[in-house]
Amino acid sequence: MAGTDRQRELLAEGPAIILVEPQLGENIGMVARAMANFGLAELRLVRPRDGWPNEKARAAASRADHVIDAVRVFDDLSSAVADLNFIYATTARPRDNFKLVRGPEEASLDLRARHASGQKTGILFGRERWGLTNEEVAMADEIVTFPVNPAFASLNVAQAVLLMSYEWMKGGGKGVSPYDHRQTPATREHLNSLFAYLDRVLSERGYFRTADKKPKMMDNLRGLFTRPAFTVEELAVLRGVLVCLEKFSPNKPKGRVVNEED
């Protein structure tokens, strides 16, 4: 429908939409328009190829100026998601990891429940040509994928955002049990701090057998620790245990550690 009724309430809430290395300004603009159509307003860009601001994006947004004007640009994905409590990664390709995979309707209802409980959430969308890397998917808590024709599964980024935005709006009237308010969901900043700590202490103790296997092993650790959706309190307990183990084994020789991946 062309045009906008300026007398009606402008809906602007919900999960942040995060585009990783988007290429064309027109695609960013169409994403902003799709978001505005269905009540989303927070758009984050990670290293947009043609820089920002981008007049082609504004033109393609078709008056979704409130989305374009509020765009935030980040140098890396870690910074873009640091303040979020829960993240979905969109992908059409099978992934070798431990993450739960949901459809768009189920994922959107979950996002509604988290939003109602005060959590900050986001949805990752990859590059136009080849999507998200395994490392980027590993930074999310769960995966959302679309029921598409297996012989023609590719969606452009604006289509993918449109589908998720529509499901977000559609789920607005459905009752979903809220999450427990008594505990604070961990942000990506808390998790990244834990991963940096694990990287250091495991490297010191020879957990990573060879340098070429370390990225995959770290991806597996990220998958393990993001899947349960830890709270701040739980991460504090876990880190306290690990620090205690490190403190009281100072003389343990650095050698090859036997682990489940052997």
Side-chain angles (χ1 to χ4, degrees), residues 16-22 42-48 52 70-83:
I17 299 297
I18 304 124
L19 306 185
V20 179
E21 297 184 351
E42 186 175 358
L43 179 58
R44 304 182 183 189
L45 308 178
V46 179
R47 295 189 302 274
W52 194 261
V71 163
R72 297 170 62 191
V73 180
F74 297 86
D75 292 329
D76 55 77
L77 181 55
S78 180
S79 300
V81 301
D83 64 323

Side-chain angles (χ1 to χ4, degrees), residues 1 47 59 71 102 112 132 155 164 175 187 210 218 251:
M1 179 181 295
R47 295 189 302 274
V71 163
R102 298 183 188 266
R112 278 280 178 188
L132 296 166
L155 294 174
M164 287 303 299
T187 65
T210 58
M218 281 300 295
N251 298 318

Side-chain angles (χ1 to χ4, degrees), residues 207 209 258-262:
Y207 177 81
R209 299 188 292 277
V258 176
N259 58 70
E260 293 181 357
E261 297 182 23
D262 283 326

